[in-house]
Amino acid sequence: MVDDAVVKPPVGVRVRRVAVRVLLTTGVVVTLVCVLLPIACWRGDMAIEKRMGTAAAEVVSVSFNRTVVRYATPDGRVIIPNLGVLYPEGLEPGQRVRVEYDQANPELTRVAGRTAALSLLPVSTFLLAVWVVIGVVVTVLRRFRRKV
């Protein structure tokens, strides 16, 4: 008499399968975020270009997560964007820079002449590194499976 029961693979094989699925799912989520980031930058740029104002700004502080600038609008308001300025690469405290901002929402401010194109290289490099690491780990897990 033949038993029709399904034979479960060993625990190690199941763990490796789950690990591969988790890695691939993580890669897909990271890829989605990396695709959405330049799109968000582009939308911010479009909003600024739609109702653009320009000003001379002073860099107040530079930290890992934001660069704070202070500038005055033509109507005399002093603006210090809470989230910082877009595309702040290379700015130093005390430096004076030209900024472009959305006149309807002065909190949306970028360094003059810089656009969402600047986000493409770091995002694509990060994405490439993530997929290289995932690819190496998945390959190692699959080769290990064959040796067991």
Side-chain angles (χ1 to χ4, degrees):
M1 189 159 134
V2 177
D3 190 357
D4 289 336
V6 176
V7 178
K8 288 185 177 181
V11 173
V13 172
R14 291 187 304 220
V15 168
R16 284 191 295 277
R17 284 183 188 163
V18 169
V20 167
R21 287 182 183 149
V22 166
L23 284 169
L24 294 176
T25 302
T26 301
V28 169
V29 170
V30 168
T31 300
L32 180 63
V33 169
C34 286
V35 168
L36 292 176
L37 182 64
I39 292 171
C41 291
W42 177 75
R43 287 192 61 192
D45 285 352
M46 297 313 299
I48 289 171
E49 289 170 9
K50 190 175 182 180
R51 298 172 296 269
M52 186 185 303
T54 60
E58 177 187 356
V59 179
V60 176
S61 70
V62 176
S63 65
F64 174 74
N65 59 344
R66 72 181 181 146
T67 299
V68 178
V69 298
R70 175 179 39 227
Y71 64 93
T73 60
D75 61 0
R77 291 186 304 159
V78 175
I79 306 294
I80 302 173
N82 289 331
L83 298 176
V85 66
L86 299 173
Y87 321 120
E89 183 70 28
L91 298 181
E92 299 291 330
Q95 185 178 1
R96 305 252 331 144
V97 294
R98 298 281 314 156
V99 293
E100 299 168 342
Y101 62 93
D102 180 358
Q103 291 180 346
N105 177 17
E107 291 287 318
L108 185 56
T109 304
R110 69 179 179 197
V111 176
R114 299 183 184 181
T115 65
L118 292 174
S119 69
L120 296 177
L121 182 62
V123 167
S124 60
T125 303
F126 174 74
L127 192 56
L128 176 65
V130 165
W131 279 107
V132 165
V133 169
I134 289 173
V136 168
V137 173
V138 167
T139 301
V140 167
L141 288 173
R142 288 190 174 160
R143 285 190 179 169
F144 184 67
R145 178 182 67 197
R146 291 183 189 141
K147 292 181 181 179
V148 173

